[in-house]
Amino acid sequence: MKIPTTLKHKPVVVSENYENVDGRNAYHSDAKGLSLGLAQWNDRGKLDISAKVWRHTGEKWSRQSEELPLHRVIDLAILVCRAKLHFRDAYRYEKLYDSENPIIDRVGLQGDAMTVAVCTDNEKIDEDIKLFSQALSDDDELIGERLRVLASILKEMGY
């Protein structure tokens, strides 16, 4: 499905067949495309680029399509990687995390740090973390494939 070019987000680099590779939703996804382009929130004299997930209801482009600045996309990837790393050894904790110290890591960024922690404000965290861990395990093949591709591309880029 062709990504629209007449809306506020202006696509520059696109993946118009994303519904074919959208994880467990492959071939049945409402996420029809991904794009990198000029952000919809750009003001005169200010230029940002963003990533966008284009969702389609079957009849029209959905208002649930998401647009994120590129650094947030990468921050989410960092969060996913750090969570996967935590859950690799989480079995060592009775509740799958250290309830005395729920901070998993502090990832240095921009002279400060992004805190990665288990959300103990969630009143059902003990139940939800088990479900999360199981879902992460169930999706290990899907996520692992994407992380291997990402690692390969990062290596090719010199990172």
Side-chain angles (χ1 to χ4, degrees):
M1 179 172 283
K2 289 287 190 189
I3 290 172
T5 58
T6 58
L7 302 176
K8 289 184 179 181
H9 172 88
K10 301 299 182 195
V12 175
V13 177
V14 299
S15 173
E16 292 183 328
N17 65 335
Y18 184 70
E19 72 267 21
N20 296 345
V21 294
D22 187 16
R24 293 188 181 283
N25 299 318
Y27 299 103
H28 306 288
S29 178
D30 68 341
K32 301 299 182 186
L34 302 177
S35 68
L36 302 177
L38 305 180
Q40 67 184 15
W41 60 79
N42 282 332
D43 293 325
R44 189 178 295 265
K46 181 181 175 208
L47 184 64
D48 289 324
I49 57 176
S50 65
K52 186 157 185 161
V53 177
W54 294 89
R55 294 171 69 174
H56 198 276
T57 66
E59 297 176 20
K60 63 181 182 175
W61 290 104
S62 173
R63 292 178 184 253
Q64 291 183 331
S65 296
E66 301 98 356
E67 183 178 28
L68 293 170
L70 291 187
H71 72 276
R72 288 186 191 153
V73 173
I74 297 167
D75 291 347
L76 284 169
I78 291 167
L79 191 62
V80 167
C81 291
R82 200 54 194 92
K84 268 195 69 60
L85 191 57
H86 169 79
F87 281 97
R88 201 181 268 178
D89 296 323
Y91 68 89
R92 296 180 303 154
Y93 300 106
E94 181 183 342
K95 295 181 174 187
L96 300 179
Y97 71 100
D98 182 351
S99 55
E100 297 296 315
N101 182 17
I103 294 175
I104 295 170
D105 197 7
R106 299 246 315 137
V107 180
L109 296 169
Q110 291 182 246
D112 202 337
M114 176 174 71
T115 301
V116 179
V118 173
C119 183
T120 56
D121 291 340
N122 175 349
E123 58 189 43
K124 295 188 176 185
I125 190 60
D126 292 346
E127 178 182 333
D128 291 351
I129 198 167
K130 290 175 186 168
L131 294 170
F132 184 93
S133 179
Q134 185 60 54
L136 198 58
S137 177
D138 291 348
D139 287 345
D140 189 59
E141 185 178 345
L142 292 170
I143 295 168
E145 176 185 32
R146 285 156 171 81
L147 290 175
R148 281 188 293 282
V149 169
L150 181 59
S152 173
I153 293 169
L154 287 169
K155 185 175 180 181
E156 184 179 341
M157 293 172 65
Y159 290 102

